Amino acid sequence: MRLLIVPARSGSKRIKDKNIKKIDNTPMLIHSLKIAKKSKLFDKIHVSTDSDKYIKLAMNHGFKTDFKRNKKFCDDKTPVLDAVKSDLKKFLMLGYKFKEICVLSSTSPLMSYKDLINARKIFIKFKKKFPIISVSKYKAKIERAMKIKNGKLNFIKKQNIKKRTQSFSDSYFATGNIFYYDPEKLMKSKIYNIKYIPYIIESFRAVDIDDNIDLNLTKQLHKLI
């Protein structure tokens, strides 16, 4: 069996109920669930949440939530994959056995069902030995990064000031949209020691929705894709 989990805890501080803000009249959580369903990859689609409101909303759109997330993993300091591992352990206790697990963030309206399919193709290509994670390329070279200290700009690495931009390689950041794992390896491994394979997405689809500016930008981008 293949499992897809959409993490959607309540209690977002910057944007209240961020997970269910509407994009084109559809809550973002439902966008993610519909993307997962359209991919036709998964035997079970689960909303990982502590919110009765989110569970009811998902049910109204035809998606069942098997159980609520353990409250221990519902604060904003808990890594998402710790919550995913907790949910997976619960499924195992209920007698489910999964050969693959995918995580799709609840704020992924710019993703497509094809992204899930293509990410899995990479997962299979590497014979499920390594997990897949969605990433996007930094537009600027991080070796030339600066910080503001006492109102003035300072290069983080002064030795890079005189180096040509072309001498630096591309760098990438995790977008947090898609993760693909072998469940057994996920449960046994220390999350931050895992070697990931990248699934690269375009930078315009890698919007991290932290405030209303990001939300409005996402709404505009969604109309264009």
Side-chain angles (χ1 to χ4, degrees):
M1 294 182 71
R2 298 180 197 147
L3 169 67
L4 181 130
I5 291 180
V6 178
R9 71 171 184 85
S10 62
S12 177
K13 293 180 179 178
R14 295 181 182 177
I15 304 177
K16 186 178 179 181
D17 281 330
K18 177 175 70 173
N19 298 307
I20 58 173
K21 290 296 183 184
K22 291 185 177 181
I23 304 291
D24 284 348
N25 297 315
T26 300
M28 284 195 286
L29 170 61
I30 304 305
H31 273 291
S32 293
L33 293 171
K34 287 184 175 180
I35 289 168
K37 184 177 181 179
K38 192 173 182 179
S39 74
K40 298 181 180 179
L41 289 175
F42 306 103
D43 302 291
K44 180 169 284 295
I45 297 172
H46 175 72
V47 180
S48 177
T49 185
D50 58 327
S51 169
D52 290 326
K53 182 201 288 189
Y54 294 179
I55 291 173
K56 184 177 180 180
L57 177 65
M59 287 182 63
N60 288 342
H61 285 82
F63 295 95
K64 178 185 176 183
T65 300
D66 292 76
F67 48 83
K68 292 174 78 171
R69 185 191 293 189
N70 188 326
K71 289 185 177 181
K72 180 181 177 181
F73 299 97
C74 292
D75 62 75
D76 57 0
K77 295 180 181 179
T78 300
V80 170
L81 289 181
D82 283 354
V84 169
K85 290 176 74 171
S86 172
D87 287 347
L88 182 56
K89 187 180 295 185
K90 180 68 173 180
F91 273 119
L92 293 174
M93 290 173 60
L94 293 173
Y96 288 94
K97 294 182 179 180
F98 297 106
K99 293 184 177 180
E100 299 173 18
I101 178 172
C102 180
V103 180
L104 177 65
S105 78
S106 58
T107 53
S108 294
L110 302 181
M111 296 295 102
S112 162
Y113 73 95
K114 292 180 181 179
D115 290 308
L116 294 175
I117 293 172
N118 291 333
R120 183 175 184 270
K121 285 180 180 178
I122 299 173
F123 188 57
I124 299 302
K125 178 182 178 181
F126 285 90
K127 299 180 180 179
K128 304 182 183 181
K129 291 182 179 180
F130 304 99
I132 309 301
I133 186 173
S134 60
V135 300
S136 190
K137 185 170 69 174
Y138 281 109
K139 291 183 178 181
K141 304 300 182 182
I142 62 172
E143 291 86 353
R144 298 294 298 274
M146 295 177 282
K147 286 189 175 182
I148 298 176
K149 186 176 181 179
N150 297 324
K152 298 181 180 64
L153 286 169
N154 293 277
F155 278 90
I156 294 176
K157 292 187 176 181
K158 292 183 179 180
Q159 65 268 32
N160 291 334
I161 295 175
K162 295 183 179 180
K163 292 183 180 180
R164 297 169 67 247
T165 302
Q166 293 87 337
S167 66
F168 303 121
S169 61
D170 292 332
S171 299
Y172 296 81
F173 62 93
T175 68
N177 297 107
I178 297 173
F179 302 86
Y180 225 112
Y181 290 89
D182 175 304
E184 186 175 346
K185 291 179 180 178
L186 176 61
M187 294 302 293
K188 290 180 178 179
S189 64
K190 293 183 179 179
I191 292 171
Y192 299 106
N193 291 332
I194 296 175
K195 292 182 178 179
Y196 291 95
I197 301 295
Y199 174 68
I200 302 172
I201 65 175
E202 304 92 332
S203 59
F204 78 89
R205 296 200 293 141
V207 180
D208 187 8
I209 306 174
D210 275 337
D211 53 37
N212 285 314
I213 293 175
D214 298 330
L215 181 61
N216 290 329
L217 175 60
T218 301
K219 289 179 180 180
Q220 295 301 316
L221 289 170
H222 191 266
K223 292 178 181 178
L224 300 174
I225 61 175

